[in-house]
Structures are given as C-alpha cells and as structure tokens.
Amino acid sequence: MENYRVRTDLALEAKESISEEEAGMHGVRVEEYHPQEGDIRVTKVMIDTKNAAKCMGKPMGVYVTMEAAEMVEPDEGYHREISGCLARELQALLPEAEKEQAVLVVGLGNREVTADALGPQVVDNLLVTRHIVREYGRRAYNCEKVNEVSALEPGVMAKTGMETAEIIKGVVKETKPDVVIVVDALAARSTKRLNRTIQITNTGISPGSGVGNHRDAINEEILGIPVIAVGVPTVVDAATIVGDALEKYLEDKQQIYFSELNNMYMTGKDIDAVIKRVSFTISEGINMALCDSVSEE
C-alpha cells in the first residue's frame, strides 16, 4: 500500500491516522468538550509547528470539528442546537468578532452535483445585509451591531474557465471585506462522519484536495485577509470503505484491489435531502454568528 493514500479533509482524522511520535506531539494540541446543546462533541486540533503541519498534511492553524450523530435526521430542534454551537465556534475564530465587519461568504462547489452543492445552497439561505446597510444604515435592522454580509457563488472551473481563487480575489479587491468565510463539501476518511460532522478552520481551504482535484488555495496568504472555512464531509473514498471491510484479509494485496477504486467516491442514498437540511443548518449558524442573536453560554 505504499502508493495508496486515504484522502480526508478533516484534521481530526489526519490526527487519528498518525502516531504521536510521527506528529511530534509538542506541535499538536487537542481539546475535546461537549457543549450544553444536545449530543454534540467538539474537538479542537491546534497545529502549532511546521513539523507537525508537515506530518499531518495540514497547514498550521486551528481546526474545530463538531460531531453530531443525528445531524442527518429531520429534527428541527436538534438542528437549531447545532446552528447555535456552530455560531459560537465561528465567532471564536472570527478576528475582532466584537466589532462591525464586512464579511464575504463564498459558497464553493457545483450546484448540479448534489454531493457538492453544499456551498451554493448555504448561500441561498444567508441573510445578506451589505446592500441594505449601505443604503439605509443600521436602523434598517433592529440590532445593536450589523455586519455587512455579502455572498458569492463562484461556480466551478468547468463552467467559468477561471480558478475559483481568481474570482474571489477579484471580488475581494473590489468590495474590500474584512474577512472571508468559505463553505464547501469535504471528503471524510470514516463513513461514521459522513454528513454528521462540521469542520471550521482559520487556515482557509484548497478546493477539491480531499478528492484529489487540487485547485488554487483560498487562504489569507492569497487574499490578504483572514479566511475561515466551514465544511461538511459529504463523500468518502470508495477504497476506504472496501479497505475497512477487507483489511484483515488483504493486508498484503490492498494495492492491487484498490488501485481502480482510488478515484471513486461514495455518498449516501438520501444525499439530496441531507444537503438541503444541513445547508440550512449551516446558513443559520453563520447568520447567528454575524448578528447579535447568539446568546452567551
């Protein structure tokens, strides 16, 4: 299996896949806690050194993973709890969250591919305020603080002929936001985290990296302003599924059997309903984080 590598966008899974000796654990810190809301587990992975970043294959920064086992279920109360937890974790990563800011929310992905439509559908449900605030001021909203929220759905390179990063850089140059929030579908290592996990990070994102389709990175180095990425794993590597099932029997021959599966990805049979539900949950979390409606714990 020297040439076979399980792909994942989740820092938590990257941490789980390596030994403490490999990571040089002095460079990786992990905190785990359970918020007051429902059955939600939050794990924070902090990569502090370049050596640890190299071992984990992730940029230095903070990665917050929210695991909610029932996130695929149509329970509005539970999803509201997830949105509230997401809002607080997002606020914790926002630079100068206590101040009014101009925030650009970018929904990455392909609307016509259901498992990749998370970003565009999140944008559909956002509370966009930039045009109203600029026209009428804060009095248009009954809030003490109103961030200027704008949204962008850049599409995919196959349709636009442009790198997503190029489009976002152009919009950032013209509108001059203080921070960018990108939302995208991710790839997971474990089927148990499929559609049940939200990752939030201050390191930005490399679209398509989890499925081997690397595009230009979208991060602070490229855009010149902080970039926060929010994602949900909607696909899992097909080779991972087969590998987990046959590991005990094919330990010496996985390379042969998995080579043809290494470019195939699987998702749930009800992915259309899940994406619609989860995208609304994430958009509500972002709306809450960017308004004063988020209550303190």
Side-chain angles (χ1 to χ4, degrees):
M1 284 191 64
E2 292 181 0
N3 297 324
Y4 172 70
R5 178 175 178 270
V6 174
R7 296 171 178 142
T8 179
D9 287 313
L10 301 179
L12 178 59
E13 292 185 336
K15 167 66 175 61
E16 293 172 345
S17 67
I18 60 177
S19 66
E20 293 190 1
E21 291 77 13
E22 288 178 306
M25 285 298 103
H26 60 280
V28 178
R29 293 175 291 137
V30 179
E31 297 177 1
E32 182 180 316
Y33 53 94
H34 292 267
Q36 294 178 353
E37 301 95 342
D39 184 22
I40 303 173
R41 183 176 73 171
V42 178
T43 305
K44 184 180 294 185
V45 177
M46 292 154 283
I47 305 177
D48 299 327
T49 67
K50 292 182 179 180
N51 182 57
K54 182 178 180 180
C55 289
M56 292 186 62
K58 303 292 180 185
M60 293 171 57
V62 178
Y63 299 81
V64 179
T65 305
M66 295 172 47
E67 296 178 88
E70 305 301 322
M71 195 163 75
V72 295
E73 301 299 328
D75 184 336
E76 293 185 8
Y78 186 60
H79 279 261
R80 182 69 177 177
E81 293 172 350
I82 297 173
S83 295
C85 183
L86 170 61
R88 279 190 290 276
E89 297 299 335
L90 188 55
Q91 281 189 332
L93 289 182
L94 281 171
E96 300 182 312
E98 71 283 354
K99 298 181 180 179
E100 288 187 338
Q101 301 186 77
V103 182
L104 171 64
V105 182
V106 181
L108 301 178
N110 188 343
R111 185 182 291 273
E112 297 181 9
V113 178
T114 307
D116 195 34
L118 179 72
Q121 291 197 28
V122 167
V123 167
D124 288 345
N125 295 303
L126 280 177
L127 176 60
V128 177
T129 62
R130 183 176 183 267
H131 58 307
I132 301 296
V133 172
R134 292 200 163 210
E135 181 71 22
Y136 302 106
R138 285 180 297 180
R139 65 180 180 274
Y141 297 95
N142 187 25
C143 293
E144 295 181 3
K145 180 187 72 175
V146 181
N147 292 308
E148 291 187 11
V149 181
S150 54
L152 173 67
E153 180 191 335
V156 292
M157 192 175 185
K159 286 187 174 183
T160 65
M162 295 177 284
E163 286 279 0
T164 301
E166 293 177 326
I167 297 173
I168 298 174
K169 284 170 66 176
V171 174
V172 167
K173 182 179 179 181
E174 287 296 320
T175 63
K176 297 178 174 57
D178 299 306
V179 61
V180 171
I181 298 175
V182 294
V183 183
D184 198 10
L186 307 177
R189 160 68 176 83
S190 171
T191 54
K192 71 179 182 180
R193 293 193 171 102
L194 200 64
N195 304 316
R196 295 174 172 86
T197 304
I198 301 174
Q199 177 175 269
I200 315 152
T201 177
N202 61 0
T203 63
I205 195 170
S206 295
S209 60
V211 295
N213 182 27
H214 296 273
R215 302 258 61 90
D216 288 352
I218 302 167
N219 53 34
E220 185 170 1
E221 181 180 356
I222 297 298
L223 299 183
I225 57 175
V227 178
I228 296 175
V230 179
V232 173
T234 61
V235 296
V236 63
D237 196 341
T240 298
I241 299 175
V242 177
D244 288 344
L246 303 179
E247 185 174 3
K248 293 182 180 179
Y249 303 98
L250 302 174
E251 287 182 350
D252 298 328
K253 299 179 181 180
Q254 283 179 338
Q255 175 67 36
I256 297 174
Y257 287 93
F258 293 173
S259 58
E260 294 183 359
L261 295 175
N262 206 21
N263 289 318
M264 296 180 64
Y265 295 85
M266 312 295 291
T267 191
K269 62 181 180 180
D270 57 345
I271 187 63
D272 51 346
V274 170
I275 288 293
K276 182 177 181 180
R277 189 178 303 123
V278 173
S279 64
F280 183 78
T281 299
I282 292 178
S283 64
E284 283 296 283
I286 295 174
N287 289 338
M288 293 167 68
L290 299 181
C291 295
D292 282 335
S293 57
V294 181
S295 59
E296 297 292 331
E297 289 192 57

